[in-house]
Amino acid sequence: NAAEFSWPETHLTLEGADFAVVRHKDGSGHFVRLLTYLPGVFFGHIRPHKIELLRNLGIFLASMDRALASFRHPAARRDLKWNMKCAASTVHSRLDDLTDRETRTVVEYFLDRYEKNIASKWSHLRTSVIHNDANDLNVLVGHRSPEPDGMYSKVVGIIDFGDMVDGSPAVELAVGTAYAILGTADPLAAAVPVVSGYHQVLPLTEEELACLYDLIASRLIMSVAISAEQRKAEAANEYLSISERPARELLRRWRVLDPGFAHCAFRQAAAYEPCPHASKIITWLKRPRNRFGPVVELDLEKDGAVLFDLSVGSPELGAWTDSEDREELTRMLFGRMAASGAKVGIGRYNEARRLYTSDLFKTSGNDAPEWRTVHLGIDLFVDPGSAVMAPLDGRVHSFRDNDRPLDYGPTIILEHTAPQGVKFYSLYGHLAKKSMTDLEPGRAVRKGERIGRVGDSQENGGWPPHLHFQIICDLLGYEGDFPGVALPSQRALWLSLCPDPNLVLGMPESLTRPKSRSNEIPEILSLRRRHLGPNLSIAYQRPLKIVRGFGPHLYDEDGQVYLDAVNNVPHVGHGHPKVVRAAQAQMAVLNTNTRYLHDRLVEYALRLKEFLPEPLSVFFFVCSGSEANDLALRLARTHTGQRDTIVVDGAYHGNLSSLIEISPYKFDGPGGRGAPPHVQKVPTPDGYRGLYKSLDPDAGQKYAGHVQEAIERIRGQGRNAAAFVAESLMGSAGQIVYPPGFLDAAFLMIRRAGGVCIADEVQVGFGRVGTHFWGFETQGVVPDIVTMGKPIGNGHPLAAVATTPEIAASFRTGMEYFNTFGGNPVSCAVGLAVLDVLREEELQRNAFEVGRYLKSGLEELKSRHALIGDVRGLGLFIGIEFVLDGASLAPAAAEAAYVAERMRDKRILVSTDGPFRNVIKIKPPLVFTRADADRFIETLDLVLGEDALRPR
Ligand code: PMP
């Protein structure tokens, strides 16, 4: 609705006229008028242009054009150099002003296209009066909400109606789009949302969409030509050439784009079948009268076939962890075929694959890298040398050895003709080189004729021997090759260009359909809403469906790769093969409970003991950090005969009833009911925001003083403290590192009062802090009880309590301690493997080195970005606290949330926490590398520079 937007309005002169004329002394004159001021920020001054904003630009332009649709004015039919109907003369007459040869060449190229494709089309396009200059310094963007995530996502108005002419809505859209996509790495990806927004309000015709690529280019060449002329007139005016440079660069990129592909993309944006003639071809292929021949000699039913699941989350690929290792892949796939006596293995169409998540298939999008993972053909894995036949009549279009590593190797493309002369193609990739020598382009090929043989791994880039068979409705500008995998963001477009090859192969559905059901994200969300506890939270506004993890990386269902900077549970890396093998091997042999003797249980206790100071030598094995902490409380309370517990404000110790009672993070948080009578809270020893700052050398002592006060409060009620429980470094409280001396002093006080000291290492243990194996060691203390969880089993539900023989003895009251799963042989095997990997891969040292490197990079960012108030942490346990103002420390929670979301958009995962949710938590798997740290810092730097974070 055009009324949503604001438009400049004219003020009448004192005489009541729309404008006045100002006369100069020399007799010349100027028209003058007064317009209202429109609030907002120019589109061109805002970065980034998020998809939502680009879409909104389209919606805005279409709303304006809809309002103008019935407007007519005689003056609109005027001669104007900016009128696109005159583009040819505007550009021609200025060609000689284009002194740069490269620019002139590209301008001439698009001028030629204009004359061929557009000049004669005007009568087919709708006509109406248009604004005609929705450039990035005329379009105004406003704040939709005061929060950064809603900022600058809406176009609110436009100025400068001086170029209005009788034009076409398609021109309006083309002009707006041309400027909106300036400076983008992938201009087409940025143009698509503008088109789809426009179409939503004012539907575009197929003819208009067919012109769009050239209309956008036409505006750009007009702009470049006119600036060149102005530059000639005012050679000293640097500004003129500065504004021209991005247009020239965009022309260069636009020239590289395939016009046919852009056409399909625009059609898709407007909800038309992307490839205009795909449906004709598909209808013909589906005709029951068509009988196609086989493409390989084997009879799929008689010779046996196995369907492979090569999807990203495929359990079949479990053992194949390195996406570069194609030899292992070959052994695995052919091994599976041999085992089931099958001569053919089938790889599916429209499958996002784990195989393509390596750097080879990585592209740099406008906002984040994207991997081309969606398979567009069907693979038939067969022995090398197997004959390949033409399944239908056609002629040879091309044969070529495409030998870049991501290509198909030797490839044949045949051309076929459907009724009405519609051409389509079939592609045969990964053939043997010498098998194709007698094929001449243009030669007729009969159905059933042998056209080549399947190549071996040596000649097809190392891939397992197979035929890649693909149908192509439009070869676009490709000659002799064609993409076989597509970006998931362009899936519908490519599937339209390349319909299901099974239309020709005719295999039974059991050999082509996905093996397991996969729900779309909205479907999962709705099932969760109905059938899972409603207070499970979901990370990110755009939830992630993660199906695989390896090392520091997580993979979503489309095979897009995320750098995991927040999950500390997969301590030695997601899916570490050694840990996985240990679990699988032991699982296959025995999994029982601790009432039978087993070597692994005692072996594991002895191994853990090596990492702990005396006298911590007795272990209980449990299944979660919460169970460990609950048991620690029972030990302490039984040992002391007391119940009162002292805890640190902001702490979280677990989800059991007993632990909600001692977790201020929960009992003082949403839905909490405050501290129960037996729990005393002491202030968070936070040297940045807390009572005493880190510059105070006595801060540790002073914070500990509050522990003494808590002891006194308990005494005042006629009781004594049972325990002081503290995380060794605090997680949920906002990645807090205690000031020196805090735990030492507090432990002394508790012990003097007869209580015991419990260190919760669930979050930070096992080398994460880098300098030491345990967090408490950084404070130079020895606790009476240590609880461990999360990283201890790398994701396997394993946790433990370590304590002294004395406390363990007190717990022997006659009541059995039995934990069904705790300490089972599988868990112990996993725990041992984690300790082995930690040592073998020197991960504690890595945490120290990469952590120090990352932290210094973040400190450098702090010196440049006022939003960062504090960077703190040890090893790979780091927090970044965001504040609106360094003096008041007003928490910048919305900004922190924005940063986490934008990092996710750029495929790096972090979370926010702390009492004000203004701390970004960094606690990646310890296999995080220096290169990962570099990427983290660069990305955060970019996000912090975004306009939505400008001071409010
Ligand atoms: N203690 C701390 C410090 C924790 O961070 C957590 C989990 N976030 C727990 C205990 C509870 O562990 P779990 O979720 O495995 O029960």
Side-chain angles (χ1 to χ4, degrees), residues 293-294 388-393 445-451:
V388 173
M389 280 97 64
L392 67 164
D393 291 351
V445 170
R446 308 296 300 174
K447 165 176 156 185
E449 187 179 334
R450 187 174 68 74
I451 52 173

Side-chain angles (χ1 to χ4, degrees), residues 568-569 623-629 651-656 659 663 665 726-732 760-764 787-790 797-799 921 923:
N568 56 333
V569 173
C623 311
S624 70
S626 299
E627 274 194 3
N629 281 331
Y652 176 67
H653 295 292
N655 58 43
L656 302 185
L659 305 172
S663 297
Y665 183 72
E727 298 166 72
S728 298
L729 284 81
M730 301 184 76
S732 312
D760 180 339
E761 290 276 342
V762 170
Q763 217 26 273
V764 297
T787 61
M788 314 163 191
K790 293 185 188 272
L798 166 63
K921 292 205 283 194
K923 47 191 180 81

